[in-house]
Amino acid sequence: MQVPCLNEARKRTKDKVLIQENLYQVNEKQKNLGIGKKYFVKTYGCQMNEHDSENISAILEEMNFIRVNHIEEADLVILNTCAIRENAHDKVFGLLGRIKHTKATKSVVVGLGGCMAQEEIIVDTILRRYKWLDFVFGTHNFYNLPNIIEKVYVQNKQQIEVISCEGQVIENIPVKRDNKYKAWVNIMYGCDKFCTYCIVPYTRGKQRSRLPFHIIEEVKNLVKNGYKEVTLLGQNVNAYGKDLNIDYTLANLLEDVAKTNIERIRFITSHPWDFSDKMIDVISKYQNIMPYIHLPIQSGSNKILKLMGRRYTKEEYLTLFNKLKAKIPHVSITTDIIVGFPNETEEDFNETLDVVKKCQFDSAFTFIFSPRVGTPASKMEDNIPLDVKEARLRELNNLINKYSKENNERYMNKTVSVLLEDYSSKKKDCLNGYTDTMKLVNVKSPDCNLGKIVNVKITDVKTWSLDGEIVK
Ligand code: SAH
Ligand code: SF4
Ligand code: F3S
């Protein structure tokens, strides 16, 4: 049994990151384990987790498990969890409660992985109260799922395998992509920023960049297989390469990925701290790098930004924001904002509203501060009453929605390019997809256009989406 440890997870060593090209393995016995059995993976959290679930699915399929879309039909259930806010925990414990009942009536193997598994307090709870859970694996361990699952089936006792502090990049894990046109591509793992509220540096470990060569090869293969879009993934992609010591940054990587001629390139998430002028130049130079930037601000108050450990001021953020708007034609910029951080006064909150008024973001994800055990902010007094936090969130959301709608209105009657990726759940006889600027559009179109990038004239505008018709 290997359980997580917060103190270990906090450590950052100067040890070189190991690039492992052959670590993942599945043997013949393990390949037989899944025969005749069905699996279901439930994913919570960010794009990183969605992509990890694509790896987990591929591993299970190499073991010959067959995917099902309903949890009730599965013989093996894996929850790939998120720890970013308390409500992420609540959702998982809610589902575990329901699964426990099912387990009483039928034989099903249940595993919990992802960021919650990296938390000491969660694994403690599992050991005490969830003895029926078959296995727990961390974010650094999922390459070892064949061994873990084999032990579960053979030994029939709870397996817990969570390493706290990991310094490797594993290159040979298979992937089963959920989308035929758009692909996630990890460019780095972990995070070294340690914003005071955030659990990610503890659950994902130290920053480790993949080698440029591996990333470019992956993208070239995607192009060969007909993919139209890649999203380069990392918790703080702007810091890409800093740990490689080879004088190669995100600007270099974006340029090399652009030269593969993949039609669309996106990247998330950008921390304002590492946004270089060279990056801005590269984004504006290449047509296939999308003019869309997610640039979390978190707060508009310098006092709160300092308490959050964000390493920029409101003024620096605004300077960067204005530079991006000036240099990248029709760029859209979205953000993340936390309200109710410890010591956030009415004036501090008003400063956040003020920045939102200045930036008029295309959209924003907004959150109430949620103390995460082990982070510095969880030791600060959580001194804003819940009703005040909720009122601030409502006021902020009203403002955000107003600007979302206004930004969308600028698209009325304009022609935009859209990658049609799915059937619209909202409108009959429509497909949907995103513009280069990441606006969701419902488009009247026959199915044969799925996977194509088409020109669309916008005919109607809502707060969260656009409607349009294909034009030549
Ligand atoms: N790496 C990204 C953010 C990843 S987490 C970045 O640095 O911007 C996504 C968002 O969740 C964060 O931007 C933040 O707004 C929010 N978040 C993170 N920790 C939180 C917490 N403890 N309480 C509330 N919101 C949080
Ligand atoms: Fe969390 Fe900050 Fe790292 Fe983003 S940059 S993942 S908010 S610690
Ligand atoms: Fe959640 Fe882990 Fe992503 S905490 S937001 S799943 S990195």
mmCIF file of all heavy atoms in Angstrom, residues 55-92:
data_model
loop_
_atom_site.group_PDB
_atom_site.id
_atom_site.type_symbol
_atom_site.label_atom_id
_atom_site.label_comp_id
_atom_site.label_asym_id
_atom_site.label_seq_id
_atom_site.Cartn_x
_atom_site.Cartn_y
_atom_site.Cartn_z
ATOM 1 N N ASN A 55 -6.535 8.144 -21.632
ATOM 2 C CA ASN A 55 -5.446 7.172 -21.424
ATOM 3 C C ASN A 55 -5.962 5.958 -20.657
ATOM 4 O O ASN A 55 -5.660 4.814 -21.005
ATOM 5 C CB ASN A 55 -4.289 7.795 -20.627
ATOM 6 C CG ASN A 55 -3.533 8.857 -21.402
ATOM 7 O OD1 ASN A 55 -3.391 9.982 -20.950
ATOM 8 N ND2 ASN A 55 -3.045 8.511 -22.577
ATOM 9 N N ILE A 56 -6.732 6.230 -19.606
ATOM 10 C CA ILE A 56 -7.251 5.129 -18.779
ATOM 11 C C ILE A 56 -8.104 4.191 -19.637
ATOM 12 O O ILE A 56 -7.965 2.965 -19.578
ATOM 13 C CB ILE A 56 -8.051 5.694 -17.576
ATOM 14 C CG1 ILE A 56 -7.083 6.408 -16.607
ATOM 15 C CG2 ILE A 56 -8.847 4.601 -16.863
ATOM 16 C CD1 ILE A 56 -7.755 7.205 -15.513
ATOM 17 N N SER A 57 -8.968 4.772 -20.486
ATOM 18 C CA SER A 57 -9.819 3.953 -21.363
ATOM 19 C C SER A 57 -8.962 3.081 -22.273
ATOM 20 O O SER A 57 -9.249 1.896 -22.472
ATOM 21 C CB SER A 57 -10.711 4.837 -22.235
ATOM 22 O OG SER A 57 -11.624 5.520 -21.421
ATOM 23 N N ALA A 58 -7.913 3.686 -22.834
ATOM 24 C CA ALA A 58 -7.062 2.926 -23.754
ATOM 25 C C ALA A 58 -6.380 1.763 -23.023
ATOM 26 O O ALA A 58 -6.282 0.653 -23.554
ATOM 27 C CB ALA A 58 -6.027 3.838 -24.386
ATOM 28 N N ILE A 59 -5.922 2.018 -21.801
ATOM 29 C CA ILE A 59 -5.278 0.942 -21.024
ATOM 30 C C ILE A 59 -6.282 -0.189 -20.796
ATOM 31 O O ILE A 59 -5.989 -1.364 -21.008
ATOM 32 C CB ILE A 59 -4.741 1.483 -19.670
ATOM 33 C CG1 ILE A 59 -3.638 2.520 -19.913
ATOM 34 C CG2 ILE A 59 -4.236 0.337 -18.787
ATOM 35 C CD1 ILE A 59 -3.126 3.214 -18.647
ATOM 36 N N LEU A 60 -7.503 0.185 -20.382
ATOM 37 C CA LEU A 60 -8.516 -0.847 -20.111
ATOM 38 C C LEU A 60 -8.843 -1.633 -21.375
ATOM 39 O O LEU A 60 -9.056 -2.849 -21.339
ATOM 40 C CB LEU A 60 -9.779 -0.210 -19.524
ATOM 41 C CG LEU A 60 -9.595 0.486 -18.167
ATOM 42 C CD1 LEU A 60 -10.907 1.111 -17.706
ATOM 43 C CD2 LEU A 60 -9.080 -0.491 -17.107
ATOM 44 N N GLU A 61 -8.841 -0.938 -22.512
ATOM 45 C CA GLU A 61 -9.158 -1.649 -23.756
ATOM 46 C C GLU A 61 -8.009 -2.558 -24.176
ATOM 47 O O GLU A 61 -8.237 -3.602 -24.780
ATOM 48 C CB GLU A 61 -9.581 -0.654 -24.840
ATOM 49 C CG GLU A 61 -10.888 -0.005 -24.409
ATOM 50 C CD GLU A 61 -11.667 0.747 -25.468
ATOM 51 O OE1 GLU A 61 -11.329 0.630 -26.650
ATOM 52 O OE2 GLU A 61 -12.625 1.443 -25.073
ATOM 53 N N GLU A 62 -6.770 -2.182 -23.840
ATOM 54 C CA GLU A 62 -5.658 -3.111 -24.104
ATOM 55 C C GLU A 62 -5.799 -4.356 -23.237
ATOM 56 O O GLU A 62 -5.290 -5.417 -23.569
ATOM 57 C CB GLU A 62 -4.305 -2.429 -23.842
ATOM 58 C CG GLU A 62 -4.014 -1.348 -24.869
ATOM 59 C CD GLU A 62 -2.527 -1.046 -25.067
ATOM 60 O OE1 GLU A 62 -1.722 -1.420 -24.209
ATOM 61 O OE2 GLU A 62 -2.209 -0.413 -26.102
ATOM 62 N N MET A 63 -6.517 -4.206 -22.105
ATOM 63 C CA MET A 63 -6.762 -5.369 -21.241
ATOM 64 C C MET A 63 -8.063 -6.075 -21.640
ATOM 65 O O MET A 63 -8.557 -6.947 -20.928
ATOM 66 C CB MET A 63 -6.845 -4.921 -19.776
ATOM 67 C CG MET A 63 -5.549 -4.316 -19.267
ATOM 68 S SD MET A 63 -5.752 -3.600 -17.622
ATOM 69 C CE MET A 63 -5.802 -5.083 -16.627
ATOM 70 N N ASN A 64 -8.605 -5.605 -22.788
ATOM 71 C CA ASN A 64 -9.800 -6.222 -23.376
ATOM 72 C C ASN A 64 -11.121 -5.990 -22.650
ATOM 73 O O ASN A 64 -12.086 -6.733 -22.844
ATOM 74 C CB ASN A 64 -9.568 -7.708 -23.644
ATOM 75 C CG ASN A 64 -8.794 -7.855 -24.938
ATOM 76 O OD1 ASN A 64 -9.236 -7.359 -25.975
ATOM 77 N ND2 ASN A 64 -7.616 -8.455 -24.871
ATOM 78 N N PHE A 65 -11.161 -4.975 -21.793
ATOM 79 C CA PHE A 65 -12.455 -4.542 -21.261
ATOM 80 C C PHE A 65 -13.187 -3.804 -22.397
ATOM 81 O O PHE A 65 -12.551 -3.175 -23.242
ATOM 82 C CB PHE A 65 -12.270 -3.561 -20.096
ATOM 83 C CG PHE A 65 -11.806 -4.196 -18.819
ATOM 84 C CD1 PHE A 65 -10.449 -4.306 -18.535
ATOM 85 C CD2 PHE A 65 -12.717 -4.674 -17.882
ATOM 86 C CE1 PHE A 65 -10.003 -4.889 -17.359
ATOM 87 C CE2 PHE A 65 -12.284 -5.258 -16.700
ATOM 88 C CZ PHE A 65 -10.929 -5.362 -16.434
ATOM 89 N N ILE A 66 -14.508 -3.843 -22.385
ATOM 90 C CA ILE A 66 -15.295 -3.148 -23.418
ATOM 91 C C ILE A 66 -16.046 -1.984 -22.772
ATOM 92 O O ILE A 66 -16.656 -2.134 -21.710
ATOM 93 C CB ILE A 66 -16.296 -4.119 -24.086
ATOM 94 C CG1 ILE A 66 -15.505 -5.166 -24.888
ATOM 95 C CG2 ILE A 66 -17.281 -3.388 -24.994
ATOM 96 C CD1 ILE A 66 -16.363 -6.283 -25.421
ATOM 97 N N ARG A 67 -16.001 -0.853 -23.449
ATOM 98 C CA ARG A 67 -16.605 0.355 -22.877
ATOM 99 C C ARG A 67 -18.131 0.315 -22.954
ATOM 100 O O ARG A 67 -18.693 -0.116 -23.952
ATOM 101 C CB ARG A 67 -16.105 1.533 -23.694
ATOM 102 C CG ARG A 67 -16.584 2.873 -23.246
ATOM 103 C CD ARG A 67 -15.868 3.824 -24.152
ATOM 104 N NE ARG A 67 -16.079 5.193 -23.873
ATOM 105 C CZ ARG A 67 -15.116 6.085 -24.105
ATOM 106 N NH1 ARG A 67 -13.938 5.723 -24.565
ATOM 107 N NH2 ARG A 67 -15.368 7.340 -23.885
ATOM 108 N N VAL A 68 -18.784 0.772 -21.881
ATOM 109 C CA VAL A 68 -20.240 0.973 -21.925
ATOM 110 C C VAL A 68 -20.543 2.408 -21.491
ATOM 111 O O VAL A 68 -19.738 3.051 -20.816
ATOM 112 C CB VAL A 68 -21.010 -0.010 -21.007
ATOM 113 C CG1 VAL A 68 -21.045 -1.404 -21.601
ATOM 114 C CG2 VAL A 68 -20.438 -0.029 -19.592
ATOM 115 N N ASN A 69 -21.701 2.897 -21.919
ATOM 116 C CA ASN A 69 -22.026 4.295 -21.631
ATOM 117 C C ASN A 69 -22.879 4.489 -20.383
ATOM 118 O O ASN A 69 -23.218 5.602 -20.024
ATOM 119 C CB ASN A 69 -22.730 4.927 -22.833
ATOM 120 C CG ASN A 69 -21.777 5.023 -24.002
ATOM 121 O OD1 ASN A 69 -20.578 5.252 -23.816
ATOM 122 N ND2 ASN A 69 -22.293 4.808 -25.205
ATOM 123 N N HIS A 70 -23.283 3.381 -19.759
ATOM 124 C CA HIS A 70 -24.089 3.495 -18.545
ATOM 125 C C HIS A 70 -23.400 2.758 -17.412
ATOM 126 O O HIS A 70 -23.036 1.582 -17.552
ATOM 127 C CB HIS A 70 -25.492 2.925 -18.764
ATOM 128 C CG HIS A 70 -26.213 3.630 -19.859
ATOM 129 N ND1 HIS A 70 -26.769 4.870 -19.683
ATOM 130 C CD2 HIS A 70 -26.412 3.290 -21.146
ATOM 131 C CE1 HIS A 70 -27.305 5.267 -20.825
ATOM 132 N NE2 HIS A 70 -27.102 4.331 -21.738
ATOM 133 N N ILE A 71 -23.288 3.434 -16.300
ATOM 134 C CA ILE A 71 -22.571 2.885 -15.153
ATOM 135 C C ILE A 71 -23.182 1.560 -14.690
ATOM 136 O O ILE A 71 -22.480 0.642 -14.288
ATOM 137 C CB ILE A 71 -22.520 3.951 -14.027
ATOM 138 C CG1 ILE A 71 -21.509 3.592 -12.965
ATOM 139 C CG2 ILE A 71 -23.863 4.220 -13.415
ATOM 140 C CD1 ILE A 71 -21.172 4.733 -12.016
ATOM 141 N N GLU A 72 -24.515 1.433 -14.815
ATOM 142 C CA GLU A 72 -25.201 0.223 -14.328
ATOM 143 C C GLU A 72 -24.756 -1.026 -15.086
ATOM 144 O O GLU A 72 -24.859 -2.141 -14.573
ATOM 145 C CB GLU A 72 -26.736 0.345 -14.479
ATOM 146 C CG GLU A 72 -27.369 1.534 -13.791
ATOM 147 C CD GLU A 72 -27.193 2.812 -14.600
ATOM 148 O OE1 GLU A 72 -27.003 2.715 -15.824
ATOM 149 O OE2 GLU A 72 -27.213 3.907 -13.995
ATOM 150 N N GLU A 73 -24.295 -0.839 -16.335
ATOM 151 C CA GLU A 73 -23.939 -2.013 -17.151
ATOM 152 C C GLU A 73 -22.513 -2.486 -16.902
ATOM 153 O O GLU A 73 -22.093 -3.513 -17.429
ATOM 154 C CB GLU A 73 -24.057 -1.661 -18.640
ATOM 155 C CG GLU A 73 -25.455 -1.338 -19.099
ATOM 156 C CD GLU A 73 -25.450 -0.692 -20.479
ATOM 157 O OE1 GLU A 73 -24.448 -0.798 -21.205
ATOM 158 O OE2 GLU A 73 -26.455 -0.055 -20.803
ATOM 159 N N ALA A 74 -21.732 -1.723 -16.117
ATOM 160 C CA ALA A 74 -20.296 -1.990 -16.047
ATOM 161 C C ALA A 74 -19.920 -3.022 -14.987
ATOM 162 O O ALA A 74 -20.534 -3.089 -13.920
ATOM 163 C CB ALA A 74 -19.555 -0.691 -15.781
ATOM 164 N N ASP A 75 -18.865 -3.806 -15.311
ATOM 165 C CA ASP A 75 -18.271 -4.715 -14.330
ATOM 166 C C ASP A 75 -17.111 -4.030 -13.615
ATOM 167 O O ASP A 75 -16.674 -4.464 -12.557
ATOM 168 C CB ASP A 75 -17.713 -5.961 -15.035
ATOM 169 C CG ASP A 75 -18.781 -6.637 -15.877
ATOM 170 O OD1 ASP A 75 -19.735 -7.158 -15.286
ATOM 171 O OD2 ASP A 75 -18.678 -6.594 -17.124
ATOM 172 N N LEU A 76 -16.573 -2.988 -14.262
ATOM 173 C CA LEU A 76 -15.465 -2.227 -13.675
ATOM 174 C C LEU A 76 -15.789 -0.738 -13.827
ATOM 175 O O LEU A 76 -16.044 -0.265 -14.937
ATOM 176 C CB LEU A 76 -14.159 -2.545 -14.423
ATOM 177 C CG LEU A 76 -12.964 -1.651 -14.100
ATOM 178 C CD1 LEU A 76 -12.494 -1.876 -12.677
ATOM 179 C CD2 LEU A 76 -11.803 -1.934 -15.064
ATOM 180 N N VAL A 77 -15.822 -0.035 -12.696
ATOM 181 C CA VAL A 77 -16.122 1.409 -12.728
ATOM 182 C C VAL A 77 -14.918 2.167 -12.189
ATOM 183 O O VAL A 77 -14.374 1.812 -11.140
ATOM 184 C CB VAL A 77 -17.362 1.727 -11.852
ATOM 185 C CG1 VAL A 77 -17.559 3.236 -11.702
ATOM 186 C CG2 VAL A 77 -18.610 1.088 -12.429
ATOM 187 N N ILE A 78 -14.495 3.201 -12.938
ATOM 188 C CA ILE A 78 -13.405 4.042 -12.438
ATOM 189 C C ILE A 78 -13.884 5.486 -12.352
ATOM 190 O O ILE A 78 -14.469 6.015 -13.308
ATOM 191 C CB ILE A 78 -12.161 3.937 -13.355
ATOM 192 C CG1 ILE A 78 -11.546 2.534 -13.225
ATOM 193 C CG2 ILE A 78 -11.133 5.012 -13.004
ATOM 194 C CD1 ILE A 78 -10.225 2.338 -13.909
ATOM 195 N N LEU A 79 -13.668 6.096 -11.191
ATOM 196 C CA LEU A 79 -13.989 7.516 -11.041
ATOM 197 C C LEU A 79 -12.670 8.288 -11.114
ATOM 198 O O LEU A 79 -11.783 8.078 -10.285
ATOM 199 C CB LEU A 79 -14.662 7.788 -9.693
ATOM 200 C CG LEU A 79 -15.851 6.899 -9.307
ATOM 201 C CD1 LEU A 79 -16.499 7.416 -8.019
ATOM 202 C CD2 LEU A 79 -16.884 6.852 -10.413
ATOM 203 N N ASN A 80 -12.547 9.140 -12.125
ATOM 204 C CA ASN A 80 -11.338 9.962 -12.269
ATOM 205 C C ASN A 80 -11.667 11.335 -11.688
ATOM 206 O O ASN A 80 -12.373 12.125 -12.311
ATOM 207 C CB ASN A 80 -10.927 10.035 -13.742
ATOM 208 C CG ASN A 80 -9.550 10.635 -13.904
ATOM 209 O OD1 ASN A 80 -8.812 10.787 -12.929
ATOM 210 N ND2 ASN A 80 -9.207 11.001 -15.119
ATOM 211 N N THR A 81 -11.179 11.603 -10.494
ATOM 212 C CA THR A 81 -11.743 12.677 -9.666
ATOM 213 C C THR A 81 -10.944 13.987 -9.704
ATOM 214 O O THR A 81 -9.799 14.027 -10.133
ATOM 215 C CB THR A 81 -11.783 12.218 -8.194
ATOM 216 O OG1 THR A 81 -10.422 11.992 -7.781
ATOM 217 C CG2 THR A 81 -12.605 10.956 -8.034
ATOM 218 N N CYS A 82 -11.598 15.038 -9.192
ATOM 219 C CA CYS A 82 -11.018 16.384 -9.137
ATOM 220 C C CYS A 82 -11.077 16.878 -7.689
ATOM 221 O O CYS A 82 -11.989 16.524 -6.948
ATOM 222 C CB CYS A 82 -11.838 17.299 -10.038
ATOM 223 S SG CYS A 82 -11.476 19.051 -9.869
ATOM 224 N N ALA A 83 -10.108 17.703 -7.303
ATOM 225 C CA ALA A 83 -10.034 18.148 -5.912
ATOM 226 C C ALA A 83 -10.076 19.671 -5.782
ATOM 227 O O ALA A 83 -9.866 20.201 -4.697
ATOM 228 C CB ALA A 83 -8.735 17.627 -5.305
ATOM 229 N N ILE A 84 -10.372 20.352 -6.875
ATOM 230 C CA ILE A 84 -10.128 21.799 -6.919
ATOM 231 C C ILE A 84 -11.002 22.594 -5.936
ATOM 232 O O ILE A 84 -10.570 23.591 -5.383
ATOM 233 C CB ILE A 84 -10.283 22.328 -8.376
ATOM 234 C CG1 ILE A 84 -9.543 23.646 -8.563
ATOM 235 C CG2 ILE A 84 -11.720 22.460 -8.818
ATOM 236 C CD1 ILE A 84 -8.101 23.511 -8.853
ATOM 237 N N ARG A 85 -12.250 22.137 -5.747
ATOM 238 C CA ARG A 85 -13.143 22.779 -4.778
ATOM 239 C C ARG A 85 -13.916 21.706 -4.030
ATOM 240 O O ARG A 85 -14.038 20.581 -4.511
ATOM 241 C CB ARG A 85 -14.140 23.734 -5.494
ATOM 242 C CG ARG A 85 -13.512 25.047 -5.937
ATOM 243 C CD ARG A 85 -14.419 25.823 -6.850
ATOM 244 N NE ARG A 85 -14.557 25.146 -8.122
ATOM 245 C CZ ARG A 85 -13.713 25.272 -9.139
ATOM 246 N NH1 ARG A 85 -12.683 26.069 -9.056
ATOM 247 N NH2 ARG A 85 -13.907 24.604 -10.260
ATOM 248 N N GLU A 86 -14.483 22.083 -2.877
ATOM 249 C CA GLU A 86 -15.161 21.081 -2.051
ATOM 250 C C GLU A 86 -16.311 20.422 -2.818
ATOM 251 O O GLU A 86 -16.562 19.227 -2.665
ATOM 252 C CB GLU A 86 -15.669 21.740 -0.763
ATOM 253 C CG GLU A 86 -16.014 20.783 0.353
ATOM 254 C CD GLU A 86 -14.860 19.842 0.752
ATOM 255 O OE1 GLU A 86 -13.686 20.231 0.650
ATOM 256 O OE2 GLU A 86 -15.161 18.689 1.147
ATOM 257 N N ASN A 87 -17.004 21.185 -3.678
ATOM 258 C CA ASN A 87 -18.148 20.566 -4.369
ATOM 259 C C ASN A 87 -17.708 19.465 -5.329
ATOM 260 O O ASN A 87 -18.490 18.578 -5.657
ATOM 261 C CB ASN A 87 -19.057 21.595 -5.046
ATOM 262 C CG ASN A 87 -18.329 22.449 -6.046
ATOM 263 O OD1 ASN A 87 -17.144 22.233 -6.318
ATOM 264 N ND2 ASN A 87 -19.013 23.443 -6.595
ATOM 265 N N ALA A 88 -16.430 19.493 -5.757
ATOM 266 C CA ALA A 88 -15.922 18.391 -6.588
ATOM 267 C C ALA A 88 -15.859 17.113 -5.740
ATOM 268 O O ALA A 88 -16.250 16.032 -6.186
ATOM 269 C CB ALA A 88 -14.546 18.730 -7.143
ATOM 270 N N HIS A 89 -15.394 17.267 -4.487
ATOM 271 C CA HIS A 89 -15.390 16.121 -3.552
ATOM 272 C C HIS A 89 -16.813 15.612 -3.331
ATOM 273 O O HIS A 89 -17.060 14.407 -3.370
ATOM 274 C CB HIS A 89 -14.881 16.556 -2.175
ATOM 275 C CG HIS A 89 -13.398 16.698 -2.090
ATOM 276 N ND1 HIS A 89 -12.766 16.963 -0.911
ATOM 277 C CD2 HIS A 89 -12.427 16.605 -3.019
ATOM 278 C CE1 HIS A 89 -11.462 17.033 -1.119
ATOM 279 N NE2 HIS A 89 -11.235 16.826 -2.384
ATOM 280 N N ASP A 90 -17.727 16.555 -3.072
ATOM 281 C CA ASP A 90 -19.106 16.170 -2.721
ATOM 282 C C ASP A 90 -19.732 15.303 -3.802
ATOM 283 O O ASP A 90 -20.418 14.324 -3.510
ATOM 284 C CB ASP A 90 -19.977 17.424 -2.504
ATOM 285 C CG ASP A 90 -19.473 18.246 -1.331
ATOM 286 O OD1 ASP A 90 -18.688 17.700 -0.513
ATOM 287 O OD2 ASP A 90 -19.831 19.442 -1.241
ATOM 288 N N LYS A 91 -19.489 15.708 -5.079
ATOM 289 C CA LYS A 91 -20.083 14.949 -6.185
ATOM 290 C C LYS A 91 -19.586 13.505 -6.162
ATOM 291 O O LYS A 91 -20.354 12.571 -6.368
ATOM 292 C CB LYS A 91 -19.691 15.580 -7.531
ATOM 293 C CG LYS A 91 -20.469 16.835 -7.850
ATOM 294 C CD LYS A 91 -20.097 17.309 -9.246
ATOM 295 C CE LYS A 91 -20.368 18.789 -9.376
ATOM 296 N NZ LYS A 91 -19.553 19.425 -10.405
ATOM 297 N N VAL A 92 -18.299 13.325 -5.923
ATOM 298 C CA VAL A 92 -17.720 11.982 -5.935
ATOM 299 C C VAL A 92 -18.274 11.158 -4.774
ATOM 300 O O VAL A 92 -18.701 10.008 -4.953
ATOM 301 C CB VAL A 92 -16.182 12.054 -5.886
ATOM 302 C CG1 VAL A 92 -15.573 10.674 -5.673
ATOM 303 C CG2 VAL A 92 -15.661 12.668 -7.179
#
